[in-house]
Amino acid sequence: MSNYHIKNLEEYFQIYRKSVRNPEAFWEEIAEEHFQWRRRWDNVLSWDFEKPEVKWFEGAQLNISENCIDRHLYTRANKTAIIFEPNNPDEPAQHISYSQLHAEVNKMANVLKSKGVKKGDRVCIYLPMIPELAYTVLACARIGAIHSVVFAGFSSTALATRINDCDASIVVTSDGSYRGSKSIDLKKIVDQALEECPQVGTVLVAERTKNEVVMTEGRDHWLAPLTEAAIDECPVEIMDAEDPLFILYTSGSTGKPKGMVHSSAGYMVYTAYTFKNVFQYRENDVYWCTADIGWITGHSYILYGPLANGATTVMFEGVPSYPDFGRFWQIVEKHKVNQFYTAPTAIRALAKEDLKFVEQYDLSSLKVLGSVGEPINEEAWHWYNNNIGKKESPIADTWWQTETGGIMITPIPYSTPTKPTFATLPFIGVQPALMDESGQELKGNQVEGRLCIKFPWPSIARTIWGNHERYRDTYFSAFKGMYFTGDGASRDAVGYYRITGRVDDVVIVSGHNLGTAPIEDAINEHQSVAESAIVGFPHDIKGNALFGYVILKDEAHERNQDNLRAEINRLISDKIGPIAKLDKIVFVPGLPKTRSGKIMRRILRKIASNDVSNLGDVSTLLNPDVVDQIRKIVGV
Ligand code: WT7
């Protein structure tokens, strides 16, 4: 039995037990046998969830780009590492081999160095899904610079906040990006953002859309001439196991985004090991994850996890609806994709369309399907299973988070029997716990509570950039000695987990994790808005959509409400991004508040969801009458 590759349920249980009984021995063996180390560790694990502090493989030295690229040159130099599939299906795909990837990443690393980037510096990457994005990420890893990828759908304000939070002095971007039939002027957005970021001295611009851009003398440089002139060999920076590898921002339930910091060794070991098993990847398989590299899914399961295994990973620039709703399946057929990993929101959107978009393509290469980002509802699960997997490719409903770095609860395809809407069993080494509100662990099966993790796994985020206290408060204070996920979950009669959704003020819209507080902050800047509250409500395709309750200032009551709604959404688009726009906006005379002044979001959520049968006791509210007034306005 190889601990590295789980092949049946019995093996899963055996390996799981081993990993829990003696985690250090278990992870040491995985680390030892499957990676290249420049120096061996002195200590496998030290941890304290109260400080909190977690260290894996302390004393070890390595470079993750060496593990993802150089290591494979002996055996896989001509194997395709990345298949780049462009937005436009008529533009040829690029098959980038491991040796080409090596050359491109090394050149990019030399370009970054020539611009003064050193180990530990932060590099902000604001690029569409083009090969330069992969090269830049891996080049940063190669020279020990900390990458901070910002999803290229974020607005200039959101970008500026993220650049400033980690004090990046260089931004890598492109002239523009293609998204289906649209093209977006990315460079313009960067220019706007940089008005707020005086410390940024260098902007590297990849050419993609050839739209007109303004280049600021001395600061902005086209990337291509620099990489063409660069040498394709750049020695790797030897990193300590716990040196930060990247920062990735995720929304919080309050205030500004949290820059989750991931470190090198543990992250590499865990993403590689989960990738191998959750997707049952075999040499020569073609694997495709449809996420954007701007999210953790793309970091861990388009780049690092697959490349650490010497896999072939597809990188798709476009969207599922362009040129028509068959695009995903056309790509599966074209590249003979074996493992396909997407989000429930995409599945729901495609399930609405005519089945002919699926049926015209040969999907027989598929062996494993994955789902991630939010709970997958039963209908979507069956559609995926019946029409894409043809009931033969198991669905891995993978639960995890930006903070966890890798997949935490998931079936192992071909080993764990799947069950619609259940993420099923903890991955090897993961020790979940369900807690009640008083802080007691709910033992046994058929219970429901808040999902915590009791023991560290190798890819847990180590801190929030520049704010360790917030890290402790957010994840380690609700339940003593445990990592709190922010999700609710239940456990069924056989011990399968089902994630029921967020229990905090984070709403997942189309798979995007959005904090309601920053959106409220954005709206409240509108001159006509006095106060606002935002909640999620169920939506057929997006999973959840956003509902805004807005109190207007007195003088604004004369204004046209539709215009106000449009202005509010434009403001949100500018401050955060179009993904955070509200589906419904109602103007209300007040918000239900507790005596201590806290908005009772529970009531607002129920009204928004048209579920007012059980509003609970509202008599303790400061202003109980407002509930009926709001109901009348919403019409429920
Ligand atoms: C939140 C984390 C992990 C990559 C994508 C999202 C929700 C994620 C599932 C799933 C139910 C899920 C949780 C989690 N979530 N996967 N399979 N079933 N819920 O990363 O943006 O950090 O969001 O996504 O609520 O806490 P993220």
Side-chain angles (χ1 to χ4, degrees):
M1 182 179 86
S2 143
N3 287 334
Y4 194 67
H5 186 186
I6 305 160
K7 288 186 284 315
N8 56 55
L9 194 59
E10 198 186 326
E11 274 190 18
Y12 160 80
F13 281 118
Q14 275 179 26
I15 299 173
Y16 182 78
R17 256 180 258 130
K18 231 196 240 181
S19 74
V20 169
R21 247 187 243 138
N22 192 344
E24 301 188 23
F26 174 77
W27 288 111
E28 174 158 56
E29 184 196 311
I30 298 290
E32 202 154 46
E33 290 178 7
H34 301 279
F35 304 91
Q36 187 174 329
W37 302 93
R38 292 295 189 113
R39 183 184 187 276
R40 208 188 138 86
W41 45 91
D42 303 315
N43 188 24
V44 179
L45 169 66
S46 61
W47 68 289
D48 175 347
F49 269 179
E50 271 164 45
K51 265 184 185 168
E53 184 180 88
V54 178
K55 291 179 176 169
W56 283 92
F57 308 111
E58 218 182 337
Q61 293 187 320
L62 75 156
N63 184 286
I64 193 169
S65 98
E66 181 170 67
N67 276 274
C68 287
I69 308 171
D70 306 48
R71 185 162 61 106
H72 305 308
L73 295 180
Y74 304 100
T75 50
R76 303 184 177 101
N78 298 320
K79 177 175 174 176
T80 300
I82 296 176
I83 299 177
F84 169 61
E85 173 67 28
N87 177 62
N88 178 350
D90 298 329
E91 188 183 324
Q94 284 180 42
H95 292 250
I96 303 155
S97 69
Y98 273 92
S99 68
Q100 285 167 329
L101 181 63
H102 182 264
E104 296 298 337
V105 169
N106 278 265
K107 286 195 248 177
M108 183 68 80
N110 280 324
V111 170
L112 292 174
K113 273 181 146 174
S114 75
K115 295 293 165 204
V117 179
K118 293 180 306 296
K119 177 177 175 178
D121 290 352
R122 276 78 58 209
V123 175
C124 175
I125 306 176
Y126 187 71
L127 277 168
M129 284 284 284
I130 56 177
E132 287 85 345
L133 171 53
Y135 303 155
T136 312
V137 165
L138 294 162
C140 287
R142 191 164 193 90
I143 62 173
I146 301 169
H147 56 76
S148 167
V149 182
V150 177
F151 173 57
F154 274 123
S155 71
S156 60
T157 316
L159 175 61
T161 307
R162 286 157 177 77
I163 292 172
N164 287 334
D165 183 75
C166 68
D167 196 22
S169 54
I170 175 166
V171 178
V172 185
T173 188
S174 66
D175 51 356
S177 71
Y178 293 123
R179 301 281 295 164
S181 55
K182 285 188 264 185
S183 94
I184 299 156
D185 293 337
L186 283 193
K187 175 65 167 60
K188 234 178 241 160
I189 298 175
V190 171
D191 290 340
Q192 254 169 34
L194 293 191
E195 286 173 18
E196 313 292 316
C197 314
Q199 80 281 15
V200 172
T202 307
V203 179
L204 302 177
V205 187
E207 188 182 70
R208 178 58 182 146
T209 53
K210 298 194 163 63
N211 57 319
E212 229 174 276
V213 300
V214 180
M215 298 293 273
T216 298
E217 181 82 37
R219 185 193 73 182
D220 302 352
H221 311 272
W222 288 106
L223 191 56
L226 297 175
T227 46
E228 271 156 34
I231 298 171
D232 62 0
E233 273 298 338
C234 173
V236 300
E237 189 75 33
I238 312 281
M239 305 297 284
D240 289 337
E242 284 295 328
D243 277 342
L245 172 64
F246 65 84
I247 301 170
L248 186 59
Y249 286 88
T250 184
S251 315
S253 46
T254 52
K256 61 176 191 170
K258 297 172 291 195
M260 304 313 306
V261 179
H262 281 282
S263 63
S264 303
Y267 177 80
M268 171 180 77
V269 169
Y270 194 77
T271 53
Y273 183 58
T274 45
F275 173 76
K276 174 75 186 164
N277 286 293
V278 175
F279 300 104
Q280 289 290 300
Y281 186 84
R282 309 284 173 108
E283 193 70 41
N284 302 324
D285 282 350
V286 174
Y287 161 88
W288 178 23
C289 165
T290 68
D292 192 287
I293 290 172
W295 310 112
I296 190 73
T297 310
H299 282 58
S300 303
Y301 299 111
I302 295 178
L303 295 179
Y304 289 116
L307 297 175
N309 282 280
T312 298
T313 175
V314 177
M315 204 177 149
F316 175 44
E317 183 184 27
V319 296
S321 54
Y322 178 81
D324 62 38
F325 290 98
R327 188 68 194 278
F328 272 5
W329 322 123
Q330 179 253 334
I331 296 173
V332 168
E333 176 183 285
K334 177 176 175 189
H335 297 299
K336 300 200 171 47
V337 171
N338 301 109
Q339 291 89 2
F340 177 76
Y341 192 27
T342 196
T345 185
I347 299 167
R348 285 190 297 264
L350 296 174
K352 283 225 147 159
E353 302 301 324
D354 199 317
L355 261 185
K356 75 167 195 245
F357 289 116
V358 177
E359 285 163 352
Q360 70 195 102
Y361 297 106
D362 176 7
L363 305 183
S364 62
S365 57
L366 289 172
K367 297 193 286 193
V368 171
L369 302 179
S371 170
V372 62
E374 60 186 306
I376 177 166
N377 51 306
E378 191 138 6
E379 209 181 333
W381 194 96
H382 285 296
W383 186 87
Y384 200 25
N385 186 43
N386 295 340
N387 300 298
I388 308 306
K390 320 281 183 200
K391 296 191 175 143
E392 286 184 355
S393 298
I395 297 174
D397 177 1
T398 63
W399 173 83
W400 56 297
Q401 309 178 294
T402 305
E403 296 86 340
T404 69
I407 294 168
M408 300 290 283
I409 302 182
T410 178
I412 305 289
Y414 299 101
S415 295
T416 317
T418 58
K419 178 174 174 183
T421 76
F422 282 74
T424 76
L425 297 172
F427 189 75
I428 305 299
V430 174
Q431 302 187 34
L434 297 181
M435 309 297 289
D436 72 14
E437 292 192 25
S438 70
Q440 292 300 307
E441 182 173 352
L442 298 159
K443 303 269 184 172
N445 289 337
Q446 285 177 309
V447 289
E448 179 164 353
R450 314 214 145 180
L451 178 62
C452 290
I453 314 287
K454 291 197 259 194
F455 194 87
W457 60 99
S459 65
I460 182 175
R462 301 303 197 256
T463 189
I464 291 174
W465 183 264
N467 200 345
H468 198 65
E469 207 172 294
R470 187 174 180 198
Y471 177 67
R472 182 176 54 233
D473 291 348
T474 311
Y475 305 106
F476 298 92
S477 65
F479 301 96
K480 206 172 150 58
M482 295 203 187
Y483 168 82
F484 174 47
T485 64
D487 283 319
S490 64
R491 200 158 47 216
D492 77 358
V494 301
Y496 273 15
Y497 288 86
R498 175 174 203 255
I499 312 301
T500 48
R502 302 291 308 190
V503 293
D504 55 11
D505 291 327
V506 171
V507 182
I508 301 189
V509 178
S510 298
H512 300 304
N513 194 330
L514 299 172
T516 52
I519 307 176
E520 289 164 5
D521 291 347
I523 298 182
N524 296 349
E525 284 185 30
H526 191 288
Q527 55 182 13
S528 301
V529 172
E531 199 183 352
S532 64
I534 290 170
V535 296
F537 70 102
H539 183 280
D540 276 358
I541 292 179
K542 302 180 188 180
N544 296 291
L546 297 172
F547 195 116
Y549 297 88
V550 175
I551 306 177
L552 291 175
K553 291 185 184 157
D554 284 344
E555 66 271 20
H557 287 284
E558 312 282 289
R559 295 213 36 208
N560 176 301
Q561 295 207 341
D562 284 335
N563 290 348
L564 276 171
R565 286 190 183 93
E567 286 169 22
I568 287 172
N569 265 333
R570 210 172 309 130
L571 196 57
I572 295 173
S573 249
D574 290 347
K575 296 269 168 198
I576 297 163
I579 44 176
K581 285 202 281 197
L582 309 180
D583 268 42
K584 285 193 190 148
I585 299 174
V586 292
F587 298 105
V588 294
L591 294 166
K593 288 194 178 163
T594 62
R595 288 182 192 274
S596 62
K598 220 172 163 242
I599 298 171
M600 286 279 266
R601 287 165 195 281
R602 184 176 51 80
I603 293 172
L604 295 177
R605 253 181 242 129
K606 291 210 165 215
I607 294 174
S609 311
N610 196 2
D611 166 27
V612 287
S613 55
N614 180 20
L615 278 184
D617 185 11
V618 299
S619 64
T620 59
L621 289 177
L622 199 60
N623 48 354
D625 295 345
V626 87
V627 176
D628 281 335
Q629 293 169 349
I630 295 177
R631 283 182 61 176
K632 225 184 248 144
I633 292 166
V634 178
V636 298

